[in-house]
Amino acid sequence: MDPKDENNVLPEQADAKAPEEEAPQASRGFSVFADELELENAGIFRDRSDPEPAGEAAADNAAPPVYPSAAKQTQRRRNLRSLIAAGVIVLVTALLVGGVFLLVRQRDEQAQPPAVEPVQSVEETPQVQAENNASAPVRAKAKGFPVSFSSNAIRSIAAVGANIYVLTDETLSLVTPSGACQMLKVIGYVEPVIVSCGKYGLVFDRLTGKYLVFCNAKIVLEGTSEDQAQILTADIAADGSFLLATKGKESASLLTYYDKDGKMLFRWTCAKDHIVAVSLAENRRDILCAALNAKNGEILTRLYLLDTYSDQTQWEYSLKGAAAIDCCFVSGSKIAVVCADRRVVIDTKKSKPTPHVFEYPEAPLAIDSDGEYTAVVTPKFGSFDAYEVRLLTGSNKVSYTFQTDARVIGVRCVGKRSYLLTEKAVLTVGPSGKGSVVTQIPGVELGLDVLNGHVYHYSLGYLFKN
């Protein structure tokens, strides 16, 4: 613009220059909130070349005080409360767990029967040497007695070799003398039965015809009877060979003898009689068979002596009016037949034998034989609350008679010693006929067995040892 035209400035240009001419006045500005700001008093617009008072510089160089904010204080209080709440929860949980533990422990202590020292020492039976396979895996399920079975369906127990075997409807289990339990087999039988001799055992199902042979902790053989016929009874020898008596397809009964591998060695057909008991002699050649029939409306027991190397029956004998329950070889050529109302001993070598008969004074409550001896439990004649135990020898003589007021549930005969399971205790009767308490029992139990002088007894869900 020409200098001479300075006086001819337009009004709009004059307004534009107004701010520059007002520079000496205090500088002002506006914030985004429409507040008027004192820009000249703000430190960012101050000329750094101007000297500052000494006091103000010292104040600026000093660190400003730090005060905790309200948000941080609130967060700290929340954290403290959370820690206190967590501690209370942990304490309450610990108290609850401790209470439950004490209740369970108290219940278990009450469930176990109190230990009772026997009045007199128990004569130990001959020790059975363990022949367990050291290479076989043993999975300990539980240690110590009583051993619990969750199925609550123990059917029976048996001392086989050096261990106790527990049979339920679903399983077969091995229990060592120390209480270690190992399940051998899931069977699922309908009506299982267990028999044993030495280290071998046989389990069979009466209804389905299934069976298995075991030795120590190993299942040796599994099979099914011919035509899946019902198994009437069975026996097994010390070498694992076994007998099966089944219903015949074209006869009343069929007797078959197998070796431990399941190979058939002998077969005998019983045309009209129903086999109820069989026994295999120690020589594993002779077989004793007891079968039932009827004649003129009267029960009849027929006895047969068989030779596995011959097709002909070696010896026969009939017992009129007697129903056999069990039979066995006694000694030499003698056999014993346990019936529902009597025990009969016969010499099979005599052409016209004279039976030795012992008739029970009352209907027997429990009977057990170990071959040579038989223990018979009956109610005391003329009494309603007393019971008698008689031990019969191989010649049918009474070795002793023991009386008790406790109702007898089961009996086990081991040589000249009898073991009684009653409603309140387990008793033992020695060769002299004197009895003593082995242990008291807290509840209803079902049966017992003896291994190496120790008594094992069981309820539906527990196995005990004394």
Side-chain angles (χ1 to χ4, degrees):
M1 179 182 296
D2 191 352
K4 63 181 179 180
D5 294 332
E6 291 179 0
N7 295 328
N8 297 326
V9 177
L10 297 176
E12 295 82 354
Q13 295 176 342
D15 292 339
K17 285 188 176 183
E20 297 179 2
E21 294 176 356
E22 295 177 357
Q25 298 180 0
S27 301
R28 295 183 181 272
F30 296 90
S31 71
V32 294
F33 300 101
D35 295 332
E36 190 173 347
L37 301 177
E38 294 289 342
L39 300 179
E40 189 172 62
N41 294 331
I44 57 174
F45 296 101
R46 183 176 298 173
D47 189 358
R48 295 300 178 188
S49 61
D50 296 341
E52 294 183 357
E56 294 180 3
D60 290 341
N61 293 332
V66 178
Y67 298 98
S69 65
K72 290 184 178 180
Q73 292 180 351
T74 301
Q75 185 63 34
R76 289 178 182 175
R77 286 195 294 270
R78 289 178 178 174
N79 293 340
L80 181 59
R81 292 173 183 171
S82 299
L83 290 176
I84 294 174
V88 171
I89 292 174
V90 171
L91 180 60
V92 172
T93 302
L95 292 175
L96 290 175
V97 172
V100 172
F101 174 78
L102 291 177
L103 290 176
V104 172
R105 182 176 180 181
Q106 183 178 5
R107 182 199 65 185
D108 293 341
E109 290 177 354
Q110 292 177 352
Q112 294 184 8
V116 178
E117 294 295 332
V119 178
Q120 65 185 37
S121 61
V122 177
E123 294 181 0
E124 292 192 355
T125 58
Q127 298 290 323
V128 179
Q129 298 295 329
E131 299 185 26
N132 293 323
N133 184 2
S135 62
V138 177
R139 297 170 292 174
K141 181 181 179 182
K143 275 200 171 184
F145 289 90
V147 179
S148 173
F149 290 83
S150 59
S151 62
N152 287 331
I154 297 178
R155 183 174 286 266
S156 62
I157 64 174
V160 186
N163 302 300
I164 289 290
Y165 292 79
V166 179
L167 180 65
T168 71
D169 292 338
E170 297 84 16
T171 61
L172 172 67
S173 301
L174 178 154
V175 179
T176 67
S178 64
C181 180
Q182 177 187 1
M183 188 179 69
L184 296 185
K185 182 70 175 177
V186 177
I187 53 176
Y189 288 1
V190 179
E191 194 176 343
V193 180
I194 184 171
V195 294
S196 64
C197 182
K199 64 179 181 178
Y200 282 92
L202 170 67
V203 177
F204 65 91
D205 189 1
R206 291 186 186 275
L207 296 183
T208 65
K210 296 179 180 179
Y211 64 87
L212 62 87
V213 178
F214 63 89
C215 177
N216 297 324
K218 183 180 179 181
I219 303 298
V220 178
L221 176 68
E222 289 187 73
T224 304
S225 61
E226 186 175 346
D227 298 327
Q228 298 182 347
Q230 294 182 8
I231 299 177
L232 303 174
T233 186
D235 193 23
I236 191 168
D239 67 342
S241 57
F242 59 98
L243 291 170
L244 291 182
T246 62
K247 283 189 174 182
K249 192 173 182 180
E250 298 178 355
S251 61
S253 304
L254 181 65
L255 181 65
T256 311
Y257 180 40
Y258 302 90
D259 66 10
K260 66 179 181 179
D261 298 321
K263 179 183 178 182
M264 187 180 69
L265 303 176
F266 174 78
R267 173 169 287 182
W268 179 73
T269 300
C270 191
K272 298 180 180 180
D273 303 328
H274 300 275
I275 299 174
V276 294
V278 293
S279 180
L280 187 61
E282 291 185 1
N283 60 17
R284 297 184 294 280
R285 177 172 178 170
D286 297 328
I287 297 175
L288 178 63
C289 177
L292 296 182
N293 205 329
K295 186 176 182 180
N296 299 326
E298 185 180 27
I299 193 71
L300 182 70
T301 293
R302 294 187 185 274
L303 304 174
Y304 299 95
L305 182 63
L306 308 174
D307 186 345
T308 57
Y309 292 92
S310 174
D311 296 333
Q312 302 297 322
T313 302
Q314 303 299 305
W315 176 85
E316 293 183 27
Y317 193 86
S318 297
L319 296 173
K320 296 181 180 180
I325 300 173
D326 194 10
C327 63
C328 61
F329 291 91
V330 180
S331 60
S333 57
K334 292 182 180 180
I335 63 168
V337 183
V338 179
C339 301
D341 60 347
R342 71 194 75 171
R343 183 178 188 255
V344 182
V345 176
I346 307 174
D347 190 346
T348 61
K349 290 299 183 181
K350 294 183 178 180
S351 57
K352 294 182 179 180
T354 301
H356 295 276
V357 181
F358 178 86
E359 293 186 357
Y360 313 137
E362 296 286 340
L365 300 175
I367 301 176
D368 186 61
S369 299
D370 73 341
E372 184 73 18
Y373 296 90
T374 298
V376 182
V377 181
T378 63
K380 183 180 179 181
F381 180 76
S383 176
F384 295 98
D385 55 358
Y387 305 88
E388 292 179 329
V389 181
R390 291 177 174 83
L391 183 70
L392 305 178
T393 66
S395 58
N396 252 3
K397 294 181 179 180
V398 178
S399 177
Y400 60 75
T401 300
F402 174 77
Q403 182 177 321
T404 178
D405 295 334
R407 188 173 72 88
V408 179
I409 300 172
V411 63
R412 186 74 174 92
C413 178
V414 182
K416 295 182 180 181
R417 182 175 290 275
S418 300
Y419 296 86
L420 307 176
L421 176 64
T422 71
E423 291 180 319
K424 299 179 180 180
V426 176
L427 309 177
T428 179
V429 184
S432 62
K434 294 182 179 181
S436 62
V437 177
V438 176
T439 182
Q440 301 286 349
I441 60 176
V444 178
E445 297 190 9
L446 304 177
L448 78 164
D449 206 341
V450 181
L451 176 63
N452 294 332
H454 297 284
V455 182
Y456 297 80
H457 44 104
Y458 65 95
S459 62
L460 278 177
Y462 290 90
L463 174 67
F464 302 87
K465 175 185 177 182
N466 297 101

